Amino acid sequence: MPAKRRQATPAAKEPVGKQRKLAPTEEEKKTKAGGWLEEEVKQQRTQNKEMGFITKRLRFISDTEEMRQGSEGVLYWMLRDHRVQDNWALIHARRLALEEKVPLHVCVCLHVPKSQLSTLRHYSFLLKGLEEVAAECKALGIQFHLLRGPAGDLLPGFVSEQQLGAVVTDFSPLREPLTWLEDVKKKLPKDVPLIQVDAHNIVPCWVASPKLEYAARTIRGKITKQLPEFLTDFPLVEKHPHAATRTAKPVDWRELLSSLGVDRTVGETEWAMLESFIDVRLKRFDSQRNDPNAAALSQLSPWIRFGHVSAQRVALQVQRGGRKLGVGVSSFIEELVVRRELTDNFCFYNEKYDSVEVPRPPGAYEWARKTLKDHAKDKRPYIYTREQLEKAETHDKLWNAAQFQVVREGKMHGFLRMYWAKKILEWTPSPEEALASALYLNDRYELDGQDPNGFVGCMWSICGIHDQGWAERPVFGKIRYMNYKGCLRKFDVAAFERKY
């Protein structure tokens, strides 16, 4: 179908992708009854309730390391990893609270910036997860607090008011969370330790490598060498025995979502989960993961991005499921662990992780910066505005279909996301504009946008990050090239175009 005949859904008044569910395939319908994974995981946590905490998972942000004596609780500032179970940051906070025999508190500081990237899609997904967190905290005797505003403005005062003796938080390598962390550190009482635990990566980012890594090949050995130590089971977070005298204010989640000043034209979506991946899709992941028409991917990146699911839990269950099914899982572990943790490394050790022209350490590698500069003025075969791209108004039906997929479903197939970003480089006036547009569209519509994976995915496609130079050609220079004919050799392009 020609692009001009499709509706411009991103600009529509009604939310796009609202409650779009993926219909189960016939194969999924024939699998065993759902729910087995939850019970299996619960048993594993119970069996490992004495599992120790590896202190290399944490680092002290504050100068003081000793918990303030005579305090009335420990606080876990939940920043990136929005879950109770399988969360090393919460596990450590609870450990401190048990040692001091004080209550345990969890706090989220909800700040919604005025931006086109603040969409109903993202905040609805976040709040649904937090609602489950709050309910589980209540059942376990943990006080859950939701504060409206920037952490630097609210958290230090909250700690003083509640007379809390330590603050534990999780880890994000991105610019804004690191700024929030520094703001809290400056204003927090000097006798209250601020402790950061990497609950997102299996091998903590600062342990995996102390420097910016050049590519997957340079970090792979460092991570895999340490996986036996860090890829462990989690202990069960049980009911906390020390009750708080001051209880948290309950949250009206429906009212909260309706009150947020977000862009509601980008609506909610729903996707598949871990159990169906192990039951159905895992066995074809290795051979069919690059086919956008095949049900072969885990579809878990939104849950991992928002911290609703632990990547470490996913790795453990997929390894176990793979052994039962008799299929290899090395290619999945490569993407889930090595490639994903490489993106945290890139963003943590390079604050200009979303820029073409930056000082050393380079955002774009020197060879890539040079080749992009050399070809910046090359004639483009087509020029499209950001608005045309957003509305999928290009000559390329495959690209349009990929854009329609992300607008409607909140997720684009990984192979197509590479093709999609590289075409943006080919169809915009400069590499800088191409990167800005790719990041805008990715972060606005992808449920796993605004995340190191998204930044590095666009930087790889457009700026050659973690890649090598290839045969030189117009516009791309030595940046890896992808085209429509190449996709025709990979999968049934027409079938994908018909679908979207």
Side-chain angles (χ1 to χ4, degrees):
M1 181 184 294
K4 64 182 181 181
R5 292 179 57 191
R6 298 185 186 265
Q7 293 181 351
T9 47
K13 293 182 179 179
E14 292 298 318
V16 294
K18 184 176 181 181
Q19 297 298 328
R20 181 182 175 90
K21 297 183 180 181
L22 297 184
T25 64
E26 289 303 314
E27 186 175 5
E28 289 173 327
K29 293 176 182 178
K30 294 176 182 178
T31 58
K32 57 185 174 182
W36 63 268
L37 181 59
E38 184 177 358
E39 185 59 32
E40 181 177 298
V41 169
K42 185 177 180 180
Q43 290 176 2
Q44 290 163 8
R45 292 178 184 138
T46 302
Q47 291 167 1
N48 292 281
K49 63 168 57 181
E50 302 302 323
M51 177 70 62
F53 177 86
I54 301 173
T55 56
K56 286 186 284 187
R57 294 188 190 276
L58 68 79
R59 61 176 187 158
F60 285 91
I61 304 301
S62 58
D63 294 328
T64 183
E65 297 184 6
E66 294 296 325
M67 182 170 167
R68 182 168 64 182
Q69 295 304 301
S71 64
E72 295 186 10
V74 172
L75 176 67
Y76 167 37
W77 170 25
M78 185 176 279
L79 180 62
R80 188 186 190 190
D81 291 282
H82 304 110
R83 61 184 181 276
V84 172
Q85 302 294 341
D86 301 342
N87 185 335
W88 289 117
L90 191 149
I91 289 167
H92 182 63
R94 183 172 182 270
R95 176 186 174 205
L96 293 178
L98 288 173
E99 288 175 356
E100 296 296 322
K101 299 180 180 179
V102 296
L104 176 60
H105 298 257
V106 171
C107 178
V108 171
C109 296
L110 182 65
H111 175 57
V112 182
K114 293 182 178 179
S115 167
Q116 289 180 298
L117 304 183
S118 297
T119 66
L120 177 64
R121 174 171 297 174
H122 289 95
Y123 282 92
S124 172
F125 197 91
L126 169 64
L127 293 185
K128 285 178 180 177
L130 287 179
E131 185 175 3
E132 293 182 9
V133 168
E136 190 168 2
C137 282
K138 183 177 180 180
L140 294 175
I142 301 169
Q143 298 300 311
F144 177 87
H145 308 264
L146 190 139
L147 307 181
R148 298 284 298 272
D153 295 344
L154 302 174
L155 203 68
F158 178 80
V159 169
S160 297
E161 177 190 333
Q162 298 281 334
Q163 299 181 45
L164 303 174
V167 177
V168 179
T169 191
D170 44 50
F171 168 76
S172 171
L174 297 183
R175 195 177 300 120
E176 279 192 323
L178 290 174
T179 300
W180 300 336
L181 187 68
E182 190 62 29
D183 288 345
V184 170
K185 174 188 174 182
K186 290 176 181 177
K187 300 176 184 178
L188 203 63
K190 298 304 179 184
D191 59 345
V192 175
L194 177 57
I195 307 162
Q196 187 175 58
V197 177
D198 190 344
H200 212 76
N201 296 296
I202 298 174
V203 180
C205 187
W206 50 80
V207 175
S209 175
K211 64 183 180 68
L212 180 71
E213 293 293 337
Y214 190 81
R217 59 181 167 78
T218 67
I219 200 173
R220 184 179 293 110
K222 296 177 181 180
I223 290 177
T224 54
K225 182 180 179 180
Q226 298 183 83
L227 276 182
E229 178 182 5
F230 288 97
L231 185 51
T232 66
D233 273 297
F234 293 91
L236 178 68
V237 175
E238 298 179 286
K239 189 174 181 65
H240 194 66
H242 307 293
T245 55
R246 290 181 286 183
T247 56
K249 181 182 178 181
V251 180
D252 184 333
W253 295 99
R254 181 175 296 182
E255 189 280 330
L256 175 62
L257 182 59
S258 66
S259 71
L260 296 183
V262 297
D263 184 344
R264 297 176 183 273
T265 61
V266 183
E268 302 164 284
T269 60
E270 293 188 5
W271 280 75
M273 284 291 280
L274 178 58
E275 188 173 291
S276 63
F277 175 54
I278 295 173
D279 283 346
V280 179
R281 303 187 297 279
L282 175 59
K283 58 181 175 289
R284 61 172 71 100
F285 178 86
D286 186 54
S287 61
Q288 294 181 271
R289 66 183 182 276
N290 286 332
D291 183 351
N293 295 311
L297 302 185
S298 74
Q299 312 293 9
L300 285 166
S301 60
W303 279 272
I304 294 174
R305 177 259 185 267
F306 280 94
H308 297 335
V309 172
S310 161
Q312 186 164 334
R313 169 59 61 194
V314 173
L316 289 168
Q317 298 308 134
V318 167
Q319 282 188 336
R320 289 164 178 148
R323 285 196 293 269
K324 293 175 182 177
L325 292 170
V327 299
V329 298
S330 59
S331 56
F332 179 73
I333 296 298
E334 165 73 13
E335 291 196 9
L336 175 73
V337 182
V338 176
R339 300 283 175 167
R340 191 183 56 82
E341 299 196 3
L342 175 64
T343 68
D344 262 32
N345 170 275
F346 181 75
C347 294
F348 185 53
Y349 291 111
N350 181 357
E351 63 179 12
K352 300 290 186 179
Y353 48 75
D354 53 356
S355 174
V356 177
E357 292 292 339
V358 296
R360 293 178 181 273
Y365 292 8
E366 292 302 320
W367 69 265
R369 294 176 62 191
K370 182 180 184 303
T371 200
L372 288 171
K373 184 176 181 180
D374 290 345
H375 292 271
K377 295 183 179 179
D378 288 2
K379 184 178 179 181
R380 270 63 175 162
Y382 301 89
I383 294 289
Y384 294 110
T385 65
R386 181 180 293 184
E387 182 180 14
Q388 287 174 311
L389 294 171
E390 190 168 13
K391 294 180 179 179
E393 294 177 343
T394 81
H395 68 286
D396 185 326
K397 291 190 291 184
L398 175 60
W399 193 97
N400 293 343
Q403 176 65 13
F404 278 120
Q405 181 184 36
V406 72
V407 167
R408 294 172 180 174
E409 298 178 357
K411 189 75 173 64
M412 187 187 299
H413 189 280
F415 178 81
L416 282 179
R417 185 148 38 167
M418 296 186 291
Y419 176 79
W420 171 88
K422 286 183 176 294
K423 293 295 121 177
I424 294 176
L425 171 61
E426 189 173 0
W427 300 336
T428 47
S430 70
E432 292 80 7
E433 186 174 334
L435 181 60
S437 292
L439 288 173
Y440 165 80
L441 294 173
N442 183 81
D443 291 349
R444 179 166 163 78
Y445 293 105
E446 289 271 3
L447 266 174
D448 57 359
Q450 303 174 58
D451 180 78
N453 276 318
F455 288 114
V456 172
C458 291
M459 290 290 284
W460 179 90
S461 299
I462 294 171
C463 302
I465 293 301
H466 301 149
D467 204 2
Q468 63 185 29
W470 295 76
E472 197 160 7
R473 62 176 63 244
V475 182
F476 285 83
K478 295 179 181 179
I479 301 295
R480 185 193 297 255
Y481 178 69
M482 293 178 71
N483 65 6
Y484 190 90
K485 289 184 178 179
C487 293
L488 289 173
R489 293 191 292 270
K490 289 277 187 180
F491 64 95
D492 187 344
V493 170
F496 186 83
E497 291 173 352
R498 286 193 300 270
K499 183 176 180 180
Y500 293 98

PDB file of all heavy atoms in Angstrom, residues 151-177:
ATOM      1  N   ALA A 151      14.374  14.424  42.386  1.00  0.00           N
ATOM      2  CA  ALA A 151      14.923  13.792  43.588  1.00  0.00           C
ATOM      3  C   ALA A 151      15.781  14.755  44.393  1.00  0.00           C
ATOM      4  O   ALA A 151      15.743  14.753  45.629  1.00  0.00           O
ATOM      5  CB  ALA A 151      15.737  12.559  43.195  1.00  0.00           C
ATOM      6  N   GLY A 152      16.577  15.588  43.720  1.00  0.00           N
ATOM      7  CA  GLY A 152      17.446  16.512  44.426  1.00  0.00           C
ATOM      8  C   GLY A 152      16.685  17.501  45.285  1.00  0.00           C
ATOM      9  O   GLY A 152      17.178  17.952  46.324  1.00  0.00           O
ATOM     10  N   ASP A 153      15.464  17.845  44.865  1.00  0.00           N
ATOM     11  CA  ASP A 153      14.638  18.790  45.622  1.00  0.00           C
ATOM     12  C   ASP A 153      13.899  18.128  46.775  1.00  0.00           C
ATOM     13  O   ASP A 153      13.592  18.791  47.774  1.00  0.00           O
ATOM     14  CB  ASP A 153      13.608  19.452  44.698  1.00  0.00           C
ATOM     15  CG  ASP A 153      14.257  20.319  43.618  1.00  0.00           C
ATOM     16  OD1 ASP A 153      15.456  20.647  43.762  1.00  0.00           O
ATOM     17  OD2 ASP A 153      13.566  20.640  42.637  1.00  0.00           O
ATOM     18  N   LEU A 154      13.586  16.837  46.640  1.00  0.00           N
ATOM     19  CA  LEU A 154      12.681  16.192  47.585  1.00  0.00           C
ATOM     20  C   LEU A 154      13.321  15.159  48.501  1.00  0.00           C
ATOM     21  O   LEU A 154      12.960  15.051  49.676  1.00  0.00           O
ATOM     22  CB  LEU A 154      11.542  15.515  46.815  1.00  0.00           C
ATOM     23  CG  LEU A 154      10.683  16.406  45.916  1.00  0.00           C
ATOM     24  CD1 LEU A 154       9.698  15.558  45.128  1.00  0.00           C
ATOM     25  CD2 LEU A 154       9.942  17.447  46.743  1.00  0.00           C
ATOM     26  N   LEU A 155      14.251  14.382  47.963  1.00  0.00           N
ATOM     27  CA  LEU A 155      14.735  13.218  48.701  1.00  0.00           C
ATOM     28  C   LEU A 155      15.513  13.570  49.976  1.00  0.00           C
ATOM     29  O   LEU A 155      15.267  12.958  51.027  1.00  0.00           O
ATOM     30  CB  LEU A 155      15.582  12.334  47.778  1.00  0.00           C
ATOM     31  CG  LEU A 155      15.701  10.873  48.208  1.00  0.00           C
ATOM     32  CD1 LEU A 155      14.355  10.178  48.075  1.00  0.00           C
ATOM     33  CD2 LEU A 155      16.739  10.155  47.369  1.00  0.00           C
ATOM     34  N   PRO A 156      16.464  14.523  49.946  1.00  0.00           N
ATOM     35  CA  PRO A 156      17.196  14.831  51.183  1.00  0.00           C
ATOM     36  C   PRO A 156      16.276  15.264  52.327  1.00  0.00           C
ATOM     37  O   PRO A 156      16.462  14.829  53.479  1.00  0.00           O
ATOM     38  CB  PRO A 156      18.142  15.961  50.754  1.00  0.00           C
ATOM     39  CG  PRO A 156      18.348  15.723  49.283  1.00  0.00           C
ATOM     40  CD  PRO A 156      17.013  15.271  48.798  1.00  0.00           C
ATOM     41  N   GLY A 157      15.277  16.097  52.031  1.00  0.00           N
ATOM     42  CA  GLY A 157      14.328  16.506  53.062  1.00  0.00           C
ATOM     43  C   GLY A 157      13.507  15.348  53.573  1.00  0.00           C
ATOM     44  O   GLY A 157      13.205  15.262  54.775  1.00  0.00           O
ATOM     45  N   PHE A 158      13.132  14.449  52.679  1.00  0.00           N
ATOM     46  CA  PHE A 158      12.369  13.258  53.069  1.00  0.00           C
ATOM     47  C   PHE A 158      13.190  12.382  54.016  1.00  0.00           C
ATOM     48  O   PHE A 158      12.666  11.863  55.013  1.00  0.00           O
ATOM     49  CB  PHE A 158      11.981  12.480  51.811  1.00  0.00           C
ATOM     50  CG  PHE A 158      11.240  11.203  52.077  1.00  0.00           C
ATOM     51  CD1 PHE A 158       9.882  11.217  52.352  1.00  0.00           C
ATOM     52  CD2 PHE A 158      11.906   9.986  52.054  1.00  0.00           C
ATOM     53  CE1 PHE A 158       9.195  10.036  52.605  1.00  0.00           C
ATOM     54  CE2 PHE A 158      11.232   8.801  52.296  1.00  0.00           C
ATOM     55  CZ  PHE A 158       9.869   8.831  52.579  1.00  0.00           C
ATOM     56  N   VAL A 159      14.478  12.236  53.719  1.00  0.00           N
ATOM     57  CA  VAL A 159      15.362  11.426  54.564  1.00  0.00           C
ATOM     58  C   VAL A 159      15.451  12.028  55.962  1.00  0.00           C
ATOM     59  O   VAL A 159      15.376  11.306  56.977  1.00  0.00           O
ATOM     60  CB  VAL A 159      16.766  11.317  53.927  1.00  0.00           C
ATOM     61  CG1 VAL A 159      17.771  10.716  54.901  1.00  0.00           C
ATOM     62  CG2 VAL A 159      16.705  10.464  52.658  1.00  0.00           C
ATOM     63  N   SER A 160      15.597  13.350  56.037  1.00  0.00           N
ATOM     64  CA  SER A 160      15.684  14.014  57.342  1.00  0.00           C
ATOM     65  C   SER A 160      14.370  13.907  58.112  1.00  0.00           C
ATOM     66  O   SER A 160      14.350  13.601  59.313  1.00  0.00           O
ATOM     67  CB  SER A 160      16.064  15.486  57.156  1.00  0.00           C
ATOM     68  OG  SER A 160      17.351  15.603  56.573  1.00  0.00           O
ATOM     69  N   GLU A 161      13.258  14.129  57.423  1.00  0.00           N
ATOM     70  CA  GLU A 161      11.938  14.084  58.054  1.00  0.00           C
ATOM     71  C   GLU A 161      11.641  12.700  58.621  1.00  0.00           C
ATOM     72  O   GLU A 161      11.090  12.569  59.728  1.00  0.00           O
ATOM     73  CB  GLU A 161      10.874  14.476  57.037  1.00  0.00           C
ATOM     74  CG  GLU A 161       9.447  14.400  57.546  1.00  0.00           C
ATOM     75  CD  GLU A 161       8.426  14.561  56.431  1.00  0.00           C
ATOM     76  OE1 GLU A 161       8.754  15.204  55.418  1.00  0.00           O
ATOM     77  OE2 GLU A 161       7.328  14.022  56.569  1.00  0.00           O
ATOM     78  N   GLN A 162      12.000  11.653  57.859  1.00  0.00           N
ATOM     79  CA  GLN A 162      11.731  10.279  58.282  1.00  0.00           C
ATOM     80  C   GLN A 162      12.819   9.725  59.202  1.00  0.00           C
ATOM     81  O   GLN A 162      12.695   8.598  59.682  1.00  0.00           O
ATOM     82  CB  GLN A 162      11.597   9.372  57.039  1.00  0.00           C
ATOM     83  CG  GLN A 162      10.450   9.735  56.114  1.00  0.00           C
ATOM     84  CD  GLN A 162       9.114   9.240  56.616  1.00  0.00           C
ATOM     85  OE1 GLN A 162       9.034   8.263  57.354  1.00  0.00           O
ATOM     86  NE2 GLN A 162       8.047   9.903  56.209  1.00  0.00           N
ATOM     87  N   GLN A 163      13.884  10.508  59.400  1.00  0.00           N
ATOM     88  CA  GLN A 163      15.015  10.100  60.245  1.00  0.00           C
ATOM     89  C   GLN A 163      15.614   8.773  59.776  1.00  0.00           C
ATOM     90  O   GLN A 163      15.794   7.836  60.566  1.00  0.00           O
ATOM     91  CB  GLN A 163      14.589  10.028  61.714  1.00  0.00           C
ATOM     92  CG  GLN A 163      14.095  11.355  62.275  1.00  0.00           C
ATOM     93  CD  GLN A 163      13.707  11.257  63.740  1.00  0.00           C
ATOM     94  OE1 GLN A 163      14.440  10.670  64.534  1.00  0.00           O
ATOM     95  NE2 GLN A 163      12.558  11.829  64.100  1.00  0.00           N
ATOM     96  N   LEU A 164      15.906   8.716  58.475  1.00  0.00           N
ATOM     97  CA  LEU A 164      16.457   7.506  57.870  1.00  0.00           C
ATOM     98  C   LEU A 164      17.974   7.512  57.990  1.00  0.00           C
ATOM     99  O   LEU A 164      18.618   8.562  57.918  1.00  0.00           O
ATOM    100  CB  LEU A 164      16.013   7.413  56.410  1.00  0.00           C
ATOM    101  CG  LEU A 164      14.490   7.424  56.214  1.00  0.00           C
ATOM    102  CD1 LEU A 164      14.136   7.476  54.736  1.00  0.00           C
ATOM    103  CD2 LEU A 164      13.845   6.216  56.880  1.00  0.00           C
ATOM    104  N   GLY A 165      18.544   6.330  58.146  1.00  0.00           N
ATOM    105  CA  GLY A 165      19.969   6.243  58.438  1.00  0.00           C
ATOM    106  C   GLY A 165      20.868   5.895  57.275  1.00  0.00           C
ATOM    107  O   GLY A 165      22.092   5.986  57.373  1.00  0.00           O
ATOM    108  N   ALA A 166      20.294   5.475  56.130  1.00  0.00           N
ATOM    109  CA  ALA A 166      21.098   5.149  54.944  1.00  0.00           C
ATOM    110  C   ALA A 166      20.189   5.193  53.726  1.00  0.00           C
ATOM    111  O   ALA A 166      18.988   4.903  53.814  1.00  0.00           O
ATOM    112  CB  ALA A 166      21.750   3.771  55.078  1.00  0.00           C
ATOM    113  N   VAL A 167      20.773   5.559  52.592  1.00  0.00           N
ATOM    114  CA  VAL A 167      20.050   5.584  51.324  1.00  0.00           C
ATOM    115  C   VAL A 167      20.772   4.669  50.346  1.00  0.00           C
ATOM    116  O   VAL A 167      21.965   4.846  50.077  1.00  0.00           O
ATOM    117  CB  VAL A 167      19.953   7.006  50.735  1.00  0.00           C
ATOM    118  CG1 VAL A 167      19.248   6.972  49.374  1.00  0.00           C
ATOM    119  CG2 VAL A 167      19.232   7.939  51.691  1.00  0.00           C
ATOM    120  N   VAL A 168      20.054   3.691  49.834  1.00  0.00           N
ATOM    121  CA  VAL A 168      20.564   2.797  48.800  1.00  0.00           C
ATOM    122  C   VAL A 168      19.817   3.103  47.519  1.00  0.00           C
ATOM    123  O   VAL A 168      18.594   3.286  47.532  1.00  0.00           O
ATOM    124  CB  VAL A 168      20.345   1.316  49.180  1.00  0.00           C
ATOM    125  CG1 VAL A 168      20.866   0.388  48.081  1.00  0.00           C
ATOM    126  CG2 VAL A 168      21.025   1.001  50.510  1.00  0.00           C
ATOM    127  N   THR A 169      20.528   3.182  46.412  1.00  0.00           N
ATOM    128  CA  THR A 169      19.869   3.404  45.118  1.00  0.00           C
ATOM    129  C   THR A 169      20.461   2.463  44.088  1.00  0.00           C
ATOM    130  O   THR A 169      21.491   1.809  44.334  1.00  0.00           O
ATOM    131  CB  THR A 169      20.002   4.869  44.670  1.00  0.00           C
ATOM    132  OG1 THR A 169      19.144   5.102  43.537  1.00  0.00           O
ATOM    133  CG2 THR A 169      21.436   5.219  44.275  1.00  0.00           C
ATOM    134  N   ASP A 170      19.819   2.373  42.936  1.00  0.00           N
ATOM    135  CA  ASP A 170      20.332   1.515  41.875  1.00  0.00           C
ATOM    136  C   ASP A 170      21.153   2.333  40.885  1.00  0.00           C
ATOM    137  O   ASP A 170      21.416   3.510  41.114  1.00  0.00           O
ATOM    138  CB  ASP A 170      19.200   0.728  41.196  1.00  0.00           C
ATOM    139  CG  ASP A 170      17.989   1.583  40.907  1.00  0.00           C
ATOM    140  OD1 ASP A 170      18.152   2.663  40.330  1.00  0.00           O
ATOM    141  OD2 ASP A 170      16.860   1.172  41.269  1.00  0.00           O
ATOM    142  N   PHE A 171      21.533   1.741  39.778  1.00  0.00           N
ATOM    143  CA  PHE A 171      22.527   2.338  38.880  1.00  0.00           C
ATOM    144  C   PHE A 171      21.966   2.621  37.497  1.00  0.00           C
ATOM    145  O   PHE A 171      21.312   1.770  36.898  1.00  0.00           O
ATOM    146  CB  PHE A 171      23.735   1.406  38.739  1.00  0.00           C
ATOM    147  CG  PHE A 171      24.675   1.779  37.625  1.00  0.00           C
ATOM    148  CD1 PHE A 171      25.540   2.854  37.768  1.00  0.00           C
ATOM    149  CD2 PHE A 171      24.693   1.065  36.436  1.00  0.00           C
ATOM    150  CE1 PHE A 171      26.401   3.212  36.735  1.00  0.00           C
ATOM    151  CE2 PHE A 171      25.551   1.404  35.403  1.00  0.00           C
ATOM    152  CZ  PHE A 171      26.410   2.479  35.550  1.00  0.00           C
ATOM    153  N   SER A 172      22.217   3.813  37.013  1.00  0.00           N
ATOM    154  CA  SER A 172      21.973   4.157  35.617  1.00  0.00           C
ATOM    155  C   SER A 172      23.170   4.952  35.115  1.00  0.00           C
ATOM    156  O   SER A 172      23.671   5.830  35.821  1.00  0.00           O
ATOM    157  CB  SER A 172      20.700   4.999  35.452  1.00  0.00           C
ATOM    158  OG  SER A 172      20.612   5.497  34.113  1.00  0.00           O
ATOM    159  N   PRO A 173      23.652   4.680  33.886  1.00  0.00           N
ATOM    160  CA  PRO A 173      24.809   5.406  33.361  1.00  0.00           C
ATOM    161  C   PRO A 173      24.440   6.692  32.627  1.00  0.00           C
ATOM    162  O   PRO A 173      25.334   7.380  32.129  1.00  0.00           O
ATOM    163  CB  PRO A 173      25.405   4.391  32.380  1.00  0.00           C
ATOM    164  CG  PRO A 173      24.190   3.705  31.817  1.00  0.00           C
ATOM    165  CD  PRO A 173      23.209   3.615  32.968  1.00  0.00           C
ATOM    166  N   LEU A 174      23.142   7.006  32.550  1.00  0.00           N
ATOM    167  CA  LEU A 174      22.714   8.124  31.719  1.00  0.00           C
ATOM    168  C   LEU A 174      22.892   9.465  32.428  1.00  0.00           C
ATOM    169  O   LEU A 174      22.949   9.557  33.649  1.00  0.00           O
ATOM    170  CB  LEU A 174      21.262   7.938  31.279  1.00  0.00           C
ATOM    171  CG  LEU A 174      21.003   6.713  30.406  1.00  0.00           C
ATOM    172  CD1 LEU A 174      19.557   6.672  29.963  1.00  0.00           C
ATOM    173  CD2 LEU A 174      21.932   6.686  29.183  1.00  0.00           C
ATOM    174  N   ARG A 175      22.974  10.501  31.646  1.00  0.00           N
ATOM    175  CA  ARG A 175      23.311  11.848  32.093  1.00  0.00           C
ATOM    176  C   ARG A 175      22.376  12.360  33.183  1.00  0.00           C
ATOM    177  O   ARG A 175      22.827  12.827  34.231  1.00  0.00           O
ATOM    178  CB  ARG A 175      23.278  12.766  30.875  1.00  0.00           C
ATOM    179  CG  ARG A 175      23.930  14.113  31.032  1.00  0.00           C
ATOM    180  CD  ARG A 175      23.877  14.865  29.702  1.00  0.00           C
ATOM    181  NE  ARG A 175      24.584  14.126  28.653  1.00  0.00           N
ATOM    182  CZ  ARG A 175      24.034  13.689  27.520  1.00  0.00           C
ATOM    183  NH1 ARG A 175      22.754  13.898  27.287  1.00  0.00           N
ATOM    184  NH2 ARG A 175      24.761  13.040  26.632  1.00  0.00           N
ATOM    185  N   GLU A 176      21.078  12.280  32.961  1.00  0.00           N
ATOM    186  CA  GLU A 176      20.125  12.822  33.918  1.00  0.00           C
ATOM    187  C   GLU A 176      20.159  12.099  35.260  1.00  0.00           C
ATOM    188  O   GLU A 176      20.265  12.739  36.316  1.00  0.00           O
ATOM    189  CB  GLU A 176      18.711  12.817  33.328  1.00  0.00           C
ATOM    190  CG  GLU A 176      18.426  13.983  32.418  1.00  0.00           C
ATOM    191  CD  GLU A 176      16.942  14.089  32.101  1.00  0.00           C
ATOM    192  OE1 GLU A 176      16.289  13.041  31.956  1.00  0.00           O
ATOM    193  OE2 GLU A 176      16.455  15.225  31.999  1.00  0.00           O
ATOM    194  N   PRO A 177      20.066  10.770  35.286  1.00  0.00           N
ATOM    195  CA  PRO A 177      20.129  10.078  36.582  1.00  0.00           C
ATOM    196  C   PRO A 177      21.431  10.338  37.343  1.00  0.00           C
ATOM    197  O   PRO A 177      21.423  10.422  38.567  1.00  0.00           O
ATOM    198  CB  PRO A 177      19.988   8.602  36.201  1.00  0.00           C
ATOM    199  CG  PRO A 177      19.233   8.619  34.914  1.00  0.00           C
ATOM    200  CD  PRO A 177      19.724   9.836  34.200  1.00  0.00           C
TER     201      PRO A 177
END
